[in-house]
């Protein structure tokens, strides 16, 4: 596990650094958007990680936890780790989108279907994190959180198809469009692809790291409990 | 299932009739919300009438959370949950019973708020059918979502702060569809409210089905 984490950590830092170099200095400015296009090497990859990887993984792990044959607390921890990282990434998605929106649309925020449903998704998963902090028996908490994760993940397809279902300011899907015909090419396309790989690697590293912390924390609680019980027993024997 | 639902609804309504929490706490809160909206927007009748659909549903939403807190507090008090389980009541029936009792309170609350909006905000309703339909359907959706998330929120000491965070983003479609249906009912020329009533129906059906299926596993603690 430690070796995997080290490899993922080094790889993600190197890939993100390469993405920054290519995105800021090597790729040319866009004919229409000028330098603003450089946010495209950041924003879509952040959204990809938050919406599809993090919240998709959280929902999948929640289903696996609820399914009696696959029930394991590891799925609960994995789901929680994915949500925590996903909330950070969805926050970054909204911030980078807002930075792009100000010079393009003239406002930091607009009540567009894509933006609104994304913000709502973030709030839904913040609710999940709040629910997770409610003191309860670990299995009861895991069951409640699994159900909450599935409920919240229902918003993911709404966010994805919002640009198709409603008239929105936000542009339609460029890479994952309905015909799967990406309308970007050359060095820009390769840098965009690299950004997806870089942030996917970063996500995997962060989730595994968070998962390991959670496992250590829980095993630490068990050790502390055993130690306290032994101390009380010793007191009983001594008296 | 329905027999258990009627039993639980009767119990909740009897407790409400004796304690009168909805009457003396939730209802005044709802009316106060309307007054505060008017203070915030100023005394211009045109602006208040224009904002009335959204303000009405916001008042309903906030009050529904308060009413749901009370409803779930009944379930969490003493050994109620254990007693219900020992009686062998169907969890789906318990869920529906709680929804029915809450629904009765919400319909009464909506009637008072609607009267308040018409009188205080000078709203002229032209299509009562759409408005009443929206109120009833939204009440079903709000009650089912609130009871379900109230159960999800768990212990009483945390529920007070947690339930609004969990349930308010989820009921956003009710706020949007309800406001649009309200707007359609005051200005029939601006479009039909049928589409928005359809969204309220879908929301109510989905959350009723999820509540019936999931209330049992959620209460197993």
């Amino acid at each position: 596990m430690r070796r995997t984490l080290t490899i993922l950590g080094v790889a993600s830092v190197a890939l993100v650094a390469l993405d920054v170099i290519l995105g800021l200095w090597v790729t040319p400015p866009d004919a229409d958007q000028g330098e603003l296009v450089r946010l495209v090497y950041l924003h879509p990859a952040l959204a990809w990680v938050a919406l599809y990887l993090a919240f998709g993984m959280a929902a999948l792990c929640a289903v696996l936890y609820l399914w009696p044959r696959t029930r394991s607390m590891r799925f609960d921890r994995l789901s929680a780790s994915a949500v925590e990282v996903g909330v950070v990434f969805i926050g970054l998605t909204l911030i980078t989108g807002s930075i792009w929106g100000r010079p393009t649309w003239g406002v930091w925020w607009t009540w567009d279907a894509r933006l609104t449903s994304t913000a709502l998704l973030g709030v839904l998963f913040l609710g999940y994190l709040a629910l997770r902090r409610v003191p309860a028996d670990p299995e009861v908490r895991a069951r409640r959180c699994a159900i909450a994760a599935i409920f919240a993940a229902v918003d993911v397809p709404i966010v994805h198809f919002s640009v198709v279902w409603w008239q929105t300011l936000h542009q339609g899907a460029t890479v994952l469009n309905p015909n799967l015909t990406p309308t970007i090419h050359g060095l820009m396309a390769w840098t965009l692809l690299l950004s997806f790989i870089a942030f996917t690697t970063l996500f995997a590293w962060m989730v595994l790291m968070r998962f390991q912390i959670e496992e250590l924390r829980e095993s630490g609680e068990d050790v502390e409990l055993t130690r306290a019980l032994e101390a009380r027993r010793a007191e009983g024997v001594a008296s | 299932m329905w027999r258990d639902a009627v039993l639980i609804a009767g119990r909740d309504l009897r407790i409400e009739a004796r304690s009168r929490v909805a009457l003396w706490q939730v209802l005044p809160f709802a009316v106060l919300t309307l007054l505060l909206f008017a203070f915030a927007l100023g005394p211009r009748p045109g602006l208040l009438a224009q904002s009335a659909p959204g303000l009405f549903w916001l008042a309903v939403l906030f009050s529904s959370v308060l009413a749901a807190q009370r409803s779930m507090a009944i379930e969490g008090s003493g050994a109620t949950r254990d007693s219900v389980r020992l009686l062998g009541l169907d969890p789906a029936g318990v869920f529906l019973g709680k929804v029915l009792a809450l629904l009765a309170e919400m319909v009464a609350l909506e009637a008072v708020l609607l009267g308040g909006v018409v009188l205080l905000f000078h709203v002229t309703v032209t299509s009562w059918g759409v408005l009443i339909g929206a109120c009833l359907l939204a009440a079903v959706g709000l009650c089912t979502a609130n009871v379900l998330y109230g159960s999800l929120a768990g212990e009483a000491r945390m529920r007070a702060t947690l339930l609004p965070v969990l349930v308010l983003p989820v009921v956003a479609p009710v706020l949007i569809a309800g406001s649009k249906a309200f707007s359609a009912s005051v200005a029939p020329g601006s479009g039909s409210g049928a589409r928005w009533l359809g969204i309220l129906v879908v929301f109510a059906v989905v959350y009723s089905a999820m509540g019936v299926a999931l209330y049992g596993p959620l209460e197993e603690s």
Side-chain angles (χ1 to χ4, degrees):
Chain A
M1 184 70 153
R2 183 173 286 181
R3 191 179 157 81
T4 313
L5 276 172
T6 309
I7 292 168
L8 273 175
V10 171
S12 56
V13 169
L15 287 167
V16 170
L18 186 62
D19 180 52
V20 169
I21 292 165
L22 288 176
L24 284 181
W25 291 289
V26 181
T27 52
D30 183 68
D32 294 325
Q33 297 186 43
E35 301 294 342
L36 206 57
V37 77
R38 300 187 191 285
L39 272 170
V40 89
Y41 309 121
L42 196 60
H43 177 73
L46 291 170
W48 150 261
V49 168
L51 259 76
Y52 307 109
L53 292 185
F55 298 146
M57 183 177 164
L60 180 68
C61 290
V63 171
L64 288 172
Y65 178 80
L66 289 175
W67 192 256
R69 286 185 185 179
T70 50
R71 181 163 298 168
S72 159
M73 289 304 283
R74 291 174 77 89
F75 286 125
D76 172 59
R77 287 175 209 136
L78 211 50
S79 184
S81 307
V83 171
E84 271 194 23
V85 178
V87 166
V88 171
F89 272 77
I90 207 160
L92 291 172
T93 306
L94 290 170
I95 290 167
T96 51
S98 189
I99 293 169
W100 185 85
R102 181 70 181 89
T104 313
W105 298 336
V107 284
W108 292 104
W109 179 264
T110 180
W111 293 101
D112 172 271
R114 170 62 69 88
L115 273 66
T116 310
S117 54
T118 307
L120 200 62
L121 185 66
V123 177
L124 284 168
F125 276 104
L126 275 177
Y128 170 97
L129 293 178
L131 184 64
R132 208 157 173 88
R133 272 146 191 81
V134 174
D137 176 74
E139 291 201 357
V140 173
R141 187 186 66 177
R143 189 167 54 237
R144 285 176 182 161
C145 289
I147 292 170
I150 295 168
F151 284 174
V154 171
D155 193 28
V156 173
I158 297 174
V159 174
H160 180 81
F161 290 109
S162 58
V163 287
V164 181
W165 291 341
W166 293 288
Q167 294 271 327
T168 60
L169 262 180
H170 194 285
Q171 69 182 80
T174 308
V175 179
L176 294 173
N177 61 30
N179 304 321
L180 288 176
T181 50
T183 52
I184 182 169
H185 57 83
L187 185 61
M188 295 164 98
W190 287 111
T191 310
L192 182 65
L193 179 67
L194 175 72
S195 71
F196 277 75
I197 296 167
F199 283 102
T200 302
T201 315
L202 183 66
F203 165 74
W205 179 53
M206 288 172 82
V207 167
L208 280 179
M209 188 71 98
R210 186 67 191 84
F211 176 75
Q212 198 184 35
I213 291 168
E214 192 66 16
E215 286 215 314
L216 286 171
R217 194 184 60 78
E218 288 190 16
S219 61
E221 277 176 8
D222 290 344
V223 169
E224 287 297 318
L225 184 66
T226 313
R227 198 173 290 161
L229 283 171
E230 278 169 4
R232 295 293 88 74
R233 279 198 199 104
E235 279 173 17
V237 170
S239 63
Chain B
M1 181 175 79
W2 286 106
R3 194 180 59 86
D4 294 347
V6 171
L7 203 68
I8 293 293
R11 180 205 66 180
D12 278 14
L13 288 173
R14 259 196 305 279
I15 291 173
E16 185 43 49
R18 286 170 193 164
S19 65
R20 300 193 179 173
V21 170
L23 185 66
W24 296 117
Q25 291 176 23
V26 181
L27 194 63
F29 170 80
V31 175
L32 187 65
T33 315
L34 277 192
L35 293 177
L36 290 175
F37 284 149
F39 295 162
L41 291 176
R44 281 168 292 170
L47 182 61
L48 285 174
Q50 202 183 347
S51 316
L55 299 183
F56 169 77
W57 284 109
L58 272 179
V60 170
L61 244 62
F62 293 151
S63 311
S64 76
V65 176
L66 217 58
Q69 303 261 29
R70 167 65 188 157
S71 171
M72 295 315 290
I74 294 172
E75 219 54 38
S77 62
T80 311
R81 193 169 275 135
D82 294 335
S83 311
V84 167
R85 204 177 303 143
L86 285 171
L87 283 169
L89 297 177
D90 184 356
V94 177
F95 170 78
L96 289 173
K98 296 203 76 61
V99 168
L100 284 175
L102 196 57
L103 188 63
E105 292 173 24
M106 283 306 297
V107 169
L109 194 89
E110 282 179 341
V112 172
L113 283 175
L114 203 55
V117 165
V118 169
L119 289 172
L120 302 173
F121 292 2
H122 310 290
V123 171
T124 310
V125 180
T126 50
S127 176
W128 281 101
V130 172
L131 188 53
I132 291 170
C135 284
L136 293 176
L137 290 168
V140 176
L142 288 175
C143 292
T144 49
N146 269 303
V147 172
L148 189 57
Y149 276 90
S151 173
L152 199 68
E155 282 71 26
R157 60 203 159 102
M158 299 295 278
R159 199 187 307 117
T161 45
L162 186 59
L163 184 59
V165 176
L166 289 176
V167 84
L168 288 176
V170 171
V171 296
V174 174
L175 176 68
I176 297 168
S179 301
K180 295 288 183 187
F182 196 127
S183 299
S185 73
V186 294
S190 65
S192 166
R195 188 172 140 217
W196 302 107
L197 292 183
I199 292 175
L200 292 173
V201 169
V202 171
F203 189 91
V205 170
V206 167
Y207 271 90
S208 300
M210 287 202 298
V212 166
L214 295 173
Y215 192 77
L218 279 173
E219 288 293 297
E220 279 174 29
S221 54

